[in-house]
Amino acid sequence: MVDALSEPEMPAPRVVGVDKYAVRKSRHYGIALVGVESRRQIHLLSGREASNLAAWLAQWPGVEIVCPDRAPSFAEGAQLRAAAGPV
């Protein structure tokens, strides 16, 4: 019955927090994206590359602020998306 329920519609995030997560410590990492204002998980991306984050941000043009953790690749991903200009 739970699987039959539709996903609740979430408004487009304006402020996104970015952090890494481990599927398997020391082997498989990804990027966790959290809506700062809604305090909800938005998406999990595989890999920790800046290009993955930049591609995801390109799909969400309403994101105004990105709050990355200390990983340089997250800041680089946000800068890559910002440099690309409007979608």
Side-chain angles (χ1 to χ4, degrees), residues 7-87:
E7 288 283 326
E9 230 177 277
M10 288 180 41
R14 190 179 71 81
V15 182
V16 175
V18 183
D19 202 354
K20 63 182 173 287
Y21 73 94
V23 176
R24 187 166 180 198
K25 192 173 180 180
S26 300
R27 296 187 187 214
H28 301 286
Y29 289 95
I31 300 172
L33 300 157
V34 177
V36 173
E37 295 169 320
S38 66
R39 297 181 182 174
R40 294 184 139 180
Q41 176 184 318
I42 298 172
H43 203 85
L44 296 175
L45 303 173
S46 60
R48 293 185 290 182
E49 295 79 27
S51 59
N52 289 356
L53 178 58
W56 185 88
L57 288 170
Q59 296 174 5
W60 295 90
V63 174
E64 297 174 16
I65 301 170
V66 178
C67 307
D69 78 344
R70 293 179 285 174
S73 63
F74 298 158
E76 181 184 342
Q79 290 170 347
L80 282 171
R81 177 61 202 115
V87 178

